[in-house]
Amino acid sequence: MQPPVFIAFTGVDRPDLLPGMRRLSARYPIEWGVLVDPEQEDKALFPAAPVREALLQARDLRWAAHICGAAARAIVADPLNAPLAPAGVQRAQINHGFAGSDAVQIAAARDYGRRLGVRTVLQCQGDFPGEPGVDWLFDVSFGTGVRPQRWPAPPSPGGPFGGYSGGIGPDTVTEILTRIAAPQGALYWIDMESGVRTDDAFDLAKCEAVCRAVYG
């Protein structure tokens, strides 16, 4: 069973987590995700702009911005004039809706990434699309921890880069990787949000438990 290229832990929302994040990143391949939505900055998971900027000053870590709400919809509507993603990220996931992306939205996400010099990620709810130029996250959960009924096969070598989310956490990751059954040489990542929180707080101990289960 081929392990993922890296694990994405989404929902980092406090700068005091940074020392522990650095320790884990020194041992395991990790991408840390920060949620971005100016309309929800009063809620857990969505750090206010000053907190987000403080987190992203840690340029020794690998970061992704998960852009949601009106900000994401603006990107797929007008990628050349939409607000820029936060500085310091290597990827930008555009969570513009729950119904997938049409050809125009895919092209917009690709153009937005090229404008910023970052990879862009879109969500899909079935087999991985073949459109190049963006990464694809299989996601029927949308941060709620719901596990899908089936897991699509990883993209073929040379195709788009694909990832998996939905109900993944310390207690489920081994079983889920077995069900994904990625063949030798497959390139993919796994992403989790609710599965690494305890009492609605980001839990680095759970992140470490996932990493140990995956990589040893």
Side-chain angles (χ1 to χ4, degrees), residues 63-85:
W63 290 99
H66 292 238
I67 303 171
C68 307
R73 294 190 291 273
I75 290 170
V76 295
D78 188 1
L80 299 183
N81 294 298
L84 299 178

Side-chain angles (χ1 to χ4, degrees), residues 67-153:
I67 303 171
C68 307
R73 294 190 291 273
I75 290 170
V76 295
D78 188 1
L80 299 183
N81 294 298
L84 299 178
V89 303
Q90 287 74 51
R91 295 202 302 171
Q93 182 170 311
I94 315 302
N95 300 333
H96 64 86
F98 299 108
S101 303
D102 60 28
V104 172
Q105 293 166 332
I106 294 169
R110 183 181 62 238
D111 292 346
Y112 182 76
R114 289 174 176 171
R115 174 189 172 200
L116 300 180
V118 301
R119 295 289 300 178
T120 45
V121 185
L122 291 172
Q123 295 156 303
C124 63
Q125 287 79 52
D127 292 337
F128 290 105
E131 288 87 347
V134 300
D135 300 339
W136 291 97
L137 178 68
F138 172 70
D139 188 2
V140 299
S141 173
F142 305 105
T144 63
V146 174
R147 293 177 61 176
Q149 295 298 311
R150 61 176 290 270
W151 300 89

Side-chain angles (χ1 to χ4, degrees), residues 39-74:
E39 297 177 349
Q40 299 194 69
E41 290 183 356
D42 59 336
K43 300 178 181 178
L45 290 167
F46 291 88
V51 175
R52 187 172 64 240
E53 291 170 6
L55 289 167
L56 296 177
Q57 286 297 314
R59 300 298 173 85
D60 53 328
L61 299 176
R62 177 185 176 91
W63 290 99
H66 292 238
I67 303 171
C68 307
R73 294 190 291 273

Side-chain angles (χ1 to χ4, degrees), residues 9-40:
F9 295 119
T10 299
V12 180
D13 50 11
R14 309 191 319 272
D16 65 281
L17 295 165
L18 288 171
M21 292 165 61
R22 287 189 169 100
R23 286 193 293 270
L24 282 182
S25 291
R27 296 162 56 197
Y28 302 106
I30 297 172
E31 175 185 85
W32 304 98
V34 59
L35 291 163
V36 180
D37 186 350
E39 297 177 349
Q40 299 194 69

